[in-house]
DNA sequence: CAGGTATGCTAAAACGTTTTAGTCTGTCAA
DNA sequence: TTGACAGACTAAAACGTTTTAGCATACCTG
């Protein structure tokens, strides 16, 4: 069964295709189509269930009402929640979102950008990785709105929305120190990405400002794509062999692995072993004792991203790049 | 900067558009284009970075190499993990996935189907809700491959992939009974959806088969979209006012709310109060004590879905509907 | 009553592909 | 010498829209 085209509607209504098109696009008034014709055509469209072919529309107009969202991994709750919020907000403004995960793989990221490009998405929201600067620059050169989020790319001059990773980290460490902790570990990853580096810098600076010597042995860098069992083993080793009284996990999945490790070596989180995780997670609230976490204001991040995108989409000229740094919230538990 | 078109390539290579098209689509041999020309054109394409406009392609061919995925909520980890797996597997076969959440809202679901339809996606993977049967039937009537998953729609004759919800539930209850439990509660939701009903039926049947009287007071139906605080309050009430020694939560987010409720009333999970959750969650492994869960084999579900889709996409004639019911795994912890 | 303007509508080009139905050479068999 | 056929390539239609430019007709204005 072939689906209806604008031509079928035009024939049925005994008017031209142009007229139908004007009516569909709300230009009937402006183009002085008579009330009678408008009514008639609308009625036929209604009854027949005709929906314009978006592909033809895109081909003609050059835009798709689709925003491409490129993230690290949709199965990570930080991203899936952000994605959901963005989708929701975009949807309300008539935009659809296509999303896809890079898995921190440069080639996949490049391919995704190409695929979005060839599908003519109207704008890009990207949580970038190092190595795709050129591709992003090309998008910008072609005049596409691009918003980076979560992690910035220093060489790229475009808008960015992200949490204040440095201060979040700094405050957490300061909090440990205020509690009298002296041997503070950091469990981080080896992906070379702005926001992870900032979290690391915050850790270092806080120690420094408090006159505590930075000790490389207390910093564990986990390889990104490794098996969780290996991660747990490495963390166990750290906790068993070093004198540690507090630890900051730089992502929530690392914290989860860390808590599993603690369980296995039967070490309890409590007064003499403090834990803070970056990015909250349901498990933390439920854990005994409850685990403190740095919350990123997802709602606000999503809202800001959408605002920036939409303003760029509606303005003719290029708007200057904006950097929005959103403060985090340290939720202390138990 | 306008992007290149096939015409630009044709001009550069001093051949016709047709020839370029043949080469791009691997039909050069078949259409007897000379080796020399093939080489020349390929080189130019390579150097210029030309990528065919997929929209024009879709308009002409009528297919998009895109599969639409409609789920309840991408921020729910069951769905986000399935989505990720499906995306991955589809990607390897040259298909892209567009996904969107219905939030159990019939209107949104219908809109999504329409939007996918007008974007000419090649196939649909849907975790459906009641009330969109007609729309799905229309897709089928138009000859589109449609695979339902997670929950079936009895009135629709198309392929379905899902876990064995009934038996999963039955086994959990049987397990409680084998441990000597007598007062077994069920915390479920009021969404009227196959897989929830099956889980409920399994609960009921297991009680019955073991000669335990079904007690409506031990079944709590939570309203789908309500605030978590209300959910927790209702669960607290159930646990405080009824004599209960075991409970099956019908989804993982209900289990999480339930565990929060238990914490608030300081009731411990243990020998005299057993808990099983449907769908595993990181929090369960970490909880003290660890919480038992019914695991759905996500990998297998995703793989089966993709297989069914691809076979339908490649076969000319309509393949008969297949129903694949995948056994779950009851993971008993602590 | 000429000329301007508003009203109501439409023909046809354009977007970038794929594909059908050729055209034009040259070779070879009869 | 003819004509059949293969080899190498191409013109143009088609996909379903949007939009520009323009055509009538009627009405007003000075």
């Amino acid at each position: 069964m072939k689906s209806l085209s604008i031509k079928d509607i035009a024939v049925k209504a005994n008017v031209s295709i142009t007229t139908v098109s004007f009516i569909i696009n709300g230009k009937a008034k402006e183009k002085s189509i008579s009330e009678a014709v408008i009514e008639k055509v609308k009625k036929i469209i209604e009854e027949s269930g005709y929906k314009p072919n978006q592909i033809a529309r895109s081909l003609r107009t050059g835009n798709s009402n689709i925003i491409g969202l490129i993230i690290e991994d949709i199965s990570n709750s930080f991203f899936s929640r952000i994605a959901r919020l963005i989708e929701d907000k975009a949807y309300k403004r008539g935009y659809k979102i296509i999303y896809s995960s890079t898995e921190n793989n440069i080639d996949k990221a490049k391919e995704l950008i190409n695929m979005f490009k060839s599908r003519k998405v109207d704008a890009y929201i990207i949580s970038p990785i190092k190595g795709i600067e050129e591709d992003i620059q090309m998008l910008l050169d072609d005049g596409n709105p691009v918003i980076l989020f979560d992690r910035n790319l220093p060489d790229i001059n475009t808008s960015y929305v992200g949490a204040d990773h440095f201060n979040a980290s700094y405050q957490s460490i300061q909090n440990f120190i205020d509690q009298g902790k002296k041997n503070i570990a950091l469990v981080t990853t080896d992906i070379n990405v702005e926001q992870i580096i900032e979290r690391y810098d915050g850790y270092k600076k806080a120690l420094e400002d408090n006159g505590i010597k930075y000790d490389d042995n207390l910093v564990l860098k986990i390889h990104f794509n490794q098996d969780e069992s290996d991660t747990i083993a490495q963390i166990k080793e750290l906790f068993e062999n070093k004198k540690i009284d507090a630890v900051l996990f730089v992502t929530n999945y690392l914290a989860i692995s860390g808590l599993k490790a603690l369980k296995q070596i039967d070490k309890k989180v409590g007064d003499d072993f403090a834990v803070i995780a970056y990015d909250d997670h349901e498990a933390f609230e439920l854990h005994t004792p409850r685990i403190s976490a740095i919350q990123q204001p997802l709602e606000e991040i999503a809202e800001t991203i959408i605002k920036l995108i939409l303003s760029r989409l509606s303005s003719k000229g290029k708007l200057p790049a904006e950097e929005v740094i959103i403060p985090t919230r340290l939720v202390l538990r138990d």
Side-chain angles (χ1 to χ4, degrees), chain A residues 163-334:
Chain A
D164 188 347
H165 304 293
F166 177 87
N167 273 316
S169 190
Y170 188 100
Q171 281 163 27
S172 311
I173 303 304
Q174 186 64 56
N175 179 272
F176 284 150
I177 294 171
D178 292 347
Q179 285 175 53
K181 307 299 179 192
K182 296 262 185 286
N183 304 294
I184 303 171
L186 180 75
V187 176
T188 181
T189 96
D190 67 348
I191 42 174
N192 186 20
V193 125
E194 269 285 298
Q195 103 273 35
I196 297 293
I197 296 168
E198 284 173 22
R199 292 175 200 182
Y200 172 80
D201 289 345
Y203 164 83
K204 221 166 159 178
K205 188 70 169 26
L207 292 180
E208 202 175 283
D209 286 359
N210 284 274
I212 298 181
K213 205 167 110 277
Y214 168 85
D215 178 359
D216 213 35
N217 291 313
L218 296 186
V219 174
L220 177 58
K221 293 198 176 182
I222 302 286
H223 184 56
F224 175 69
N225 251 333
Q226 78 185 20
D227 267 15
E228 197 190 8
S229 53
D230 297 337
T231 304
I232 292 175
Q234 285 180 267
I235 296 176
K236 260 159 61 175
E237 218 224 282
L238 173 73
F239 289 169
E240 283 178 328
N241 299 330
K242 299 282 182 304
K243 209 180 128 221
I244 291 173
D245 50 18
V247 57
L248 171 64
F249 292 99
V250 115
T251 72
N252 54 14
Y253 62 85
L254 286 174
I256 285 177
S257 301
L259 292 172
K260 288 182 186 166
L262 286 171
K263 204 160 190 180
Q264 289 179 18
I265 59 176
D266 208 29
K267 196 178 184 100
K268 299 266 179 275
V269 176
D271 286 343
D272 46 349
F273 192 83
V275 167
I276 297 181
Y278 204 110
D279 282 347
D280 209 350
H281 190 284
E282 262 150 349
F284 300 155
E285 168 85 9
L286 233 42
H287 191 269
T288 312
R290 299 184 308 150
I291 301 297
S292 301
I294 297 164
Q295 285 181 345
Q296 300 195 51
L298 301 179
E299 180 78 33
E300 200 180 336
I301 293 176
E303 187 64 38
T304 310
I305 292 173
I306 286 294
K307 274 220 186 84
L308 290 176
I309 282 282
L310 292 180
S311 59
R312 259 136 267 261
L313 239 22
S314 56
S315 97
K316 280 287 105 169
K318 245 186 207 157
L319 298 181
E322 283 181 60
E323 276 208 4
V324 184
I325 306 292
I326 296 179
T328 58
R329 208 158 70 90
L330 176 58
V331 181
L332 294 172
R333 296 199 174 105
D334 280 350

Side-chain angles (χ1 to χ4, degrees), chain A residues 12-25:
Chain A
K12 265 197 195 118
N14 206 21
V15 296
S16 75
I17 290 178
T18 311
T19 303
V20 177
S21 175
F22 285 155
I23 292 169
I24 290 171
N25 294 292

